[in-house]
Amino acid sequence: MSYTVLARKYRSQTFDDLVGQEAIATTLKNAVASERVHHGYLFTGTRGVGKTSTARVLAKALNCASFEAPTPTPCGTCEPCRMIAEGEDIDVIEIDAASNTGVDNIRDLRNNTAYRPARSRFKVYIIDEVHMLSTGAFNALLKTLEEPPDHVKFILATTEAHKVPATIVSRCQRFDFRSISIDAIAGHLRHVLEQEKVEADDTVIRRIARLAQGSMRDALSLLDQLLSFGGGKLAAEVLDDVLPVARDEVITALVDHVADEDAAAALQCVEQSLASGQTAERFCQMLIDHLRTLMLLKVCGTDTELVDLSTADRDQLAEQAPRFDASTYVYMISLAEEARRSVKSSNASRALIDAAVVRLALAGNFSDIKELLNRLEDGSAHEANPTPAARQPAAKPAAPATPLGSTQTPKDRTPACGDRPSGDKKAKPAGSAVSAVAPTPSPGARRRESVSSSDEARVRRDPTVQRTMELFDATLMSVQKSAPNQNTAEASPGQGDSTPDTAEPESAGGDA
């Protein structure tokens, strides 16, 4: 007798058997019980979450011969139920849209809907991967899907709902199947192992559930593989020989190494993940999802409902989330997304990922400008940056304030805080903050372009600008690019002036 794989042997046979889709199962059961079954359904979700199994269960509920009317609890033993479960019933037609993409295929389907079912109450069409249909095929299906005969039901299934035209979606009731949680997969695996009379360590079951990434079919396939290797008992010792490390565990370890600024160890995690068959784009996507989860836990608290995590995973990630501040998470997610887009069209995807991970390991060196200002106000950089009073020359009065827009200072002016003598290559003092302010220029500075008083007032009202000006005793100034064909006479006051125009504001605390 031929062997039946676990994914087929333990396929859900009733609505109550569906794992991880309880809300959808309840909705469909109530629809059948109240005789409010729609003529068209669209089941969407990732692979192995129960779309086709649910479609077959619904077909059995409509055509079960043990009851005189549709029932939410099909018997599973009558001939229609058995044939539907095996995919061989003459009144339940399963179509692979990838192999029947043309208009002619849909035209034949449409013509056959006119005939009543051979022995059942309804003729049910299950179209798998419906997004593979051509545009012409979708158009040919529209009218029949909108007003089918009373004895016809359509169930469309797809893993890429965004590729299904809106005209099709609007004619169906849409159900989004969620990825199955690790706890739900682990519980079902324990049930399967009990039925198979096989002992297994909890570590093995959890590893399989993590590797399945929300797909019950993938989990049962991995369990099948382990059973072939381990015989009657599945011990933790066989894990590393047969199964790779769960990818979410690798990502978690990578983020820990990034937090420790250990770029070498983080690159080892990249090698471990990609060597196990993970694509570069998928690796970046998993990293983005993990960083997003940590950011939400950091910003919204560990009890937030914005992330779907088991209790054990939530506790583990809640310990990791405080290792970065919110602004650093934003920077890291942006960097990972930039890497994800780049690897799609590059022949050097591994180099791009390695470079991104090294940059992530340096993310702790980046801080928000407001946090730097807070440190300065708290006195963390007072020794490296003298107080405003100490920075002002004692024997010479301060230069008068200059309107916003000046760009040059006379050569005989005493340098103020942040001014650097010509040829000085030394780095700025530790603790200096980057700001959009500049030293006070003299009244004789040449004006590039006038700035309206409303713009100047708006900038001056900015709290960050105000705090920066107070800390550095600086004055605002606007540096504008000159027009490409600027009149030569305009530059005549500075015949020897070779200072290049720049669109970037100068910094009062040194180089930005």
Side-chain angles (χ1 to χ4, degrees):
M1 184 176 180
S2 61
Y3 173 70
T4 303
V5 298
L6 296 180
R8 293 181 57 189
K9 184 177 180 180
Y10 293 96
R11 195 167 200 166
S12 301
Q13 301 299 322
T14 66
F15 288 117
D16 294 333
D17 292 340
L18 294 174
V19 180
Q21 313 298 343
E22 289 76 11
I24 295 175
T26 300
T27 303
L28 294 177
K29 286 171 63 178
N30 293 339
V32 174
S34 61
E35 298 183 356
R36 300 180 66 87
V37 180
H38 201 267
H39 61 260
Y41 291 93
L42 176 63
F43 294 165
T44 71
T46 58
R47 68 190 188 284
V49 293
K51 299 185 298 297
T52 304
S53 296
T54 304
R56 289 185 178 181
V57 172
L58 180 58
K60 288 193 292 184
L62 295 174
N63 290 336
C64 180
S66 298
F67 298 87
E68 296 181 357
T71 174
T73 56
C75 67
T77 57
C78 65
E79 185 175 0
C81 285
R82 288 188 289 103
M83 298 301 289
I84 292 173
E86 296 174 4
E88 298 178 358
D89 190 76
I90 60 176
D91 292 325
V92 179
I93 302 97
E94 296 191 25
I95 301 173
D96 177 19
S99 304
N100 301 272
T101 61
V103 177
D104 293 337
N105 303 115
I106 299 301
R107 186 179 292 116
D108 293 340
L109 180 152
R110 185 180 59 189
N111 293 336
N112 291 333
T113 59
Y115 301 103
R116 298 194 64 83
R119 63 180 179 186
S120 304
R121 302 183 190 93
F122 297 96
K123 181 177 287 187
V124 182
Y125 288 91
I126 301 175
I127 306 178
D128 200 12
E129 298 300 332
V130 69
H131 66 273
M132 299 294 290
L133 292 178
S134 64
T135 302
F138 275 125
N139 292 333
L141 183 62
L142 283 178
K143 188 62 177 177
T144 303
L145 184 60
E146 182 176 14
E147 297 179 355
D150 293 338
H151 59 270
V152 173
K153 304 294 181 183
F154 286 98
I155 304 176
L156 315 180
T158 178
T159 55
E160 302 184 42
H162 61 281
K163 293 184 178 180
V164 181
T167 51
I168 295 291
V169 177
S170 65
R171 288 166 167 80
C172 302
Q173 284 189 2
R174 173 171 172 170
F175 290 87
D176 292 299
F177 286 66
R178 301 174 62 181
S179 296
I180 306 174
S181 67
I182 294 176
D183 290 336
I185 293 177
H188 187 65
L189 292 180
R190 292 188 184 95
H191 170 72
V192 170
L193 289 170
E194 290 177 1
Q195 299 297 317
E196 294 293 317
K197 296 180 173 56
V198 176
E199 297 181 6
D201 294 340
D202 189 66
T203 304
V204 176
I205 296 175
R206 297 290 297 185
R207 173 73 66 85
I208 295 174
R210 289 180 180 276
L211 288 172
Q213 296 183 352
S215 171
M216 184 61 73
R217 183 171 59 238
D218 288 3
L220 292 173
S221 298
L222 290 170
L223 181 60
D224 238 338
Q225 182 179 348
L226 274 181
L227 289 176
S228 300
F229 180 86
K233 180 176 176 58
L234 300 181
E237 291 74 16
V238 305
L239 281 178
D240 295 334
D241 295 332
V242 181
L243 298 181
V245 178
R247 288 163 183 167
D248 59 341
E249 296 177 4
V250 176
I251 296 296
T252 301
L254 184 147
V255 173
D256 280 334
H257 295 315
V258 166
D260 296 333
E261 299 185 4
D262 189 349
L267 291 175
Q268 287 296 327
C269 292
V270 176
E271 171 64 24
Q272 185 177 9
S273 181
L274 298 183
S276 65
Q278 182 88 301
T279 63
E281 183 180 0
R282 178 58 184 163
F283 172 82
C284 293
Q285 185 60 55
M286 290 186 64
L287 179 58
I288 292 171
D289 294 340
H290 187 84
L291 292 173
R292 172 187 176 270
T293 300
L294 294 177
M295 179 182 68
L296 293 177
L297 293 175
K298 171 70 174 179
V299 175
C300 303
T302 57
D303 297 330
T304 178
E305 297 180 356
L306 296 178
V307 294
D308 184 16
L309 295 170
S310 64
T311 303
D313 292 338
R314 186 181 292 269
D315 293 341
Q316 179 184 6
L317 295 183
E319 296 178 359
Q320 190 179 52
R323 305 204 67 178
F324 298 99
D325 56 34
S327 59
T328 304
Y329 279 123
V330 173
Y331 166 76
M332 295 169 72
I333 291 174
S334 301
L335 180 59
E337 171 60 17
E338 180 183 352
R340 187 193 67 81
R341 291 196 303 264
S342 300
V343 300
K344 293 177 64 176
S345 57
S346 174
N347 293 327
S349 58
R350 178 59 187 275
L352 292 174
I353 290 181
D354 288 346
V357 169
V358 172
R359 288 179 64 187
L360 287 176
L362 301 176
N365 297 329
F366 295 88
S367 296
D368 185 72
I369 182 65
K370 294 183 178 180
E371 293 187 6
L372 292 176
L373 293 175
N374 288 333
R375 295 176 190 174
L376 288 173
E377 289 180 341
D378 292 340
S380 61
H382 283 177
E383 294 183 2
N385 294 278
T387 61
R391 290 197 302 265
Q392 293 295 331
K396 194 171 184 178
T402 307
L404 185 70
S406 300
T407 61
Q408 297 182 11
T409 57
K411 296 180 180 180
D412 59 347
R413 186 177 69 84
T414 302
C417 173
D419 286 355
R420 177 174 297 172
S422 176
D424 185 6
K425 302 294 184 181
K426 293 183 179 179
K428 63 179 181 179
S432 296
V434 178
S435 64
V437 298
T440 304
S442 69
R446 177 165 54 91
R447 187 180 184 86
R448 295 282 186 194
E449 183 178 341
S450 62
V451 178
S452 64
S453 57
S454 60
D455 289 341
E456 181 178 353
R458 176 178 55 81
V459 174
R460 290 184 180 278
R461 286 195 300 269
D462 187 277
T464 303
V465 174
Q466 292 176 358
R467 293 168 60 193
T468 307
M469 292 175 63
E470 292 174 359
L471 286 171
F472 293 100
D473 192 26
T475 302
L476 289 175
M477 61 181 291
S478 175
V479 181
Q480 306 278 347
K481 263 192 173 181
S482 302
N485 298 323
Q486 192 172 11
N487 196 313
T488 309
E490 180 181 345
S492 58
Q495 296 282 348
D497 181 13
S498 60
T499 303
D501 290 334
T502 175
E504 298 294 332
E506 295 181 9
S507 170
D511 290 342

